[in-house]
């Protein structure tokens, strides 16, 4: 299975702290994407990292990709209560367009 | 540029009825994907379509489910004779279909409840 799996399943931190979520996958990929989903809402695309990239930044987000370990991490710095959501990583099979999602990490940022 | 549109946002059906879910991709996007999200779970790929073609339906249940993306109009995900287990959020995504632009943009989803 290509499925990405996020770790931890749930994370609770105080506002201002950093949050780190990890994603592992099983086979070769073309790219990996991180999405956020607020409770009962749709998905918001956060960041895409390609298989030939090792690190990407977007605002308070930092994503790393280690293809040798088949893993990625999402770091949210200086977290805010508004960051409370579920975070999913999605991987695509090389040369295919469908994404495989993990079950997500539920992040709770306490004010 | 409007994003991916899905309607209805909420749909309630009784067992045995049909459910039709619509998805209008972003302007300029020719590829559409349908995903299903069961409560407390991640999204599961169902089907990938281009205009008038089903490219990959490996995630679609073999019975009762069908999808189309006609030359004109939205993509339709159709579920016949719904059962309680079909209750889920169904998300549509679209992409431009160009090799260097494979990011998928998601719609707000349709929440199907089967009574």
């Amino acid at each position: 299975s290509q499925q990405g799996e996020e770790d931890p399943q749930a994370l609770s931190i105080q506002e201002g702290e950093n949050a780190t979520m990890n994603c592992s996958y099983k086979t070769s990929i073309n790219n990996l994407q991180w999405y956020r989903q607020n409770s009962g809402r749709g998905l918001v695309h956060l960041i895409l990292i390609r298989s030939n990239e090792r690190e990407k930044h977007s605002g308070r987000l930092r994503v790393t990709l280690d293809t040798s370990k088949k893993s990625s991490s999402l770091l949210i710095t200086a977290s805010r209560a508004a960051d409370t959501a579920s975070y999913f990583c999605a991987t695509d099979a090389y040369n295919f367009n469908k994404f495989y999602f993990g079950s997500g990490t539920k992040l709770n940022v306490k004010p | 540029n409007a994003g991916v549109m899905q309607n209805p946002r909420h749909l309630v059906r009784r067992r045995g009825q049909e459910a039709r879910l619509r998805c209008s991709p972003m302007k300029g996007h020719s590829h559409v994907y349908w995903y299903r999200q069961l409560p407390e779970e991640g999204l599961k790929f169902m089907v990938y379509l281009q205009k008038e073609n089903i490219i990959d339906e490996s995630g679609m249940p073999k019975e009762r489910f069908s999808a189309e993306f006609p030359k004109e109009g939205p993509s339709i995900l159709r579920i016949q004779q719904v059962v309680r287990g079909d209750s889920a959020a169904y998300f549509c995504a679209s992409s431009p279909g160009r090799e260097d632009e494979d990011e998928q943009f998601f719609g707000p989803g349709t929440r199907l409840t089967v009574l």
Side-chain angles (χ1 to χ4, degrees):
Chain A
S1 166
Q2 282 274 121
Q3 192 169 20
E5 291 295 335
E6 292 88 350
D7 166 57
Q9 289 189 326
L11 181 61
S12 184
I13 58 174
Q14 292 292 140
E15 206 166 27
E17 294 180 338
N18 295 341
T20 299
M21 288 159 270
N22 303 298
C23 168
S24 59
Y25 56 92
K26 294 184 179 177
T27 62
S28 297
I29 61 170
N30 193 37
N31 66 59
L32 183 147
Q33 304 191 30
W34 284 91
Y35 288 84
R36 184 184 73 211
Q37 185 180 37
N38 289 82
S39 181
R41 307 290 295 274
L43 289 143
V44 174
H45 181 262
L46 295 177
I47 200 163
L48 178 153
I49 186 166
R50 298 196 182 277
S51 59
N52 61 353
E53 297 175 311
R54 291 296 167 259
E55 187 170 314
K56 276 188 97 166
H57 297 255
S58 177
R60 294 183 296 113
L61 305 180
R62 173 176 167 253
V63 168
T64 61
L65 179 65
D66 186 336
T67 52
S68 66
K69 294 181 180 177
K70 294 186 170 57
S71 67
S72 173
S73 68
L74 170 68
L75 169 67
I76 305 174
T77 59
S79 63
R80 304 167 183 167
D83 295 329
T84 294
S86 290
Y87 291 82
F88 295 90
C89 72
T91 55
D92 74 330
Y94 188 71
N95 279 338
F96 292 91
N97 281 17
K98 57 191 176 188
F99 287 162
Y100 296 85
F101 286 81
S103 52
T105 291
K106 281 189 175 178
L107 174 65
N108 179 32
V109 181
K110 294 177 280 190
Chain B
N1 185 8
V4 177
M5 311 279 283
Q6 287 188 251
N7 69 81
R9 294 292 305 277
H10 299 274
L11 182 61
V12 179
R13 285 287 178 266
R14 296 192 180 280
R15 280 180 297 169
Q17 291 184 320
E18 178 180 287
R20 278 185 179 239
L21 288 64
R22 293 174 187 78
C23 169
S24 297
M26 284 180 69
K27 187 177 180 181
H29 286 191
S30 59
H31 293 209
V32 165
Y33 315 80
W34 285 94
Y35 295 84
R36 177 166 64 177
Q37 185 180 32
L38 295 171
E40 304 299 319
E41 292 189 15
L43 284 80
K44 298 287 192 295
F45 168 80
M46 298 181 75
V47 62
Y48 162 37
L49 309 106
Q50 296 176 19
K51 287 278 188 183
E52 300 183 284
N53 275 315
I54 296 175
I55 306 302
D56 182 350
E57 56 182 346
S58 58
M60 287 272 274
K62 293 287 184 281
E63 297 177 350
R64 302 188 297 107
F65 285 72
S66 62
E68 62 176 8
F69 188 16
K71 188 176 180 182
E72 301 290 337
S75 175
I76 307 286
L77 179 67
R78 184 181 174 209
I79 311 172
Q80 294 177 291
Q81 297 176 316
V82 295
V83 300
R84 288 220 174 101
D86 296 332
S87 294
Y90 292 83
F91 290 93
C92 164
S94 72
S95 72
R98 290 185 286 275
E99 191 174 321
D100 60 344
E101 292 187 59
D102 47 10
E103 178 182 331
Q104 293 184 15
F105 294 82
F106 281 79
T110 293
R111 274 155 186 83
L112 173 65
T113 301
V114 179
L115 302 177

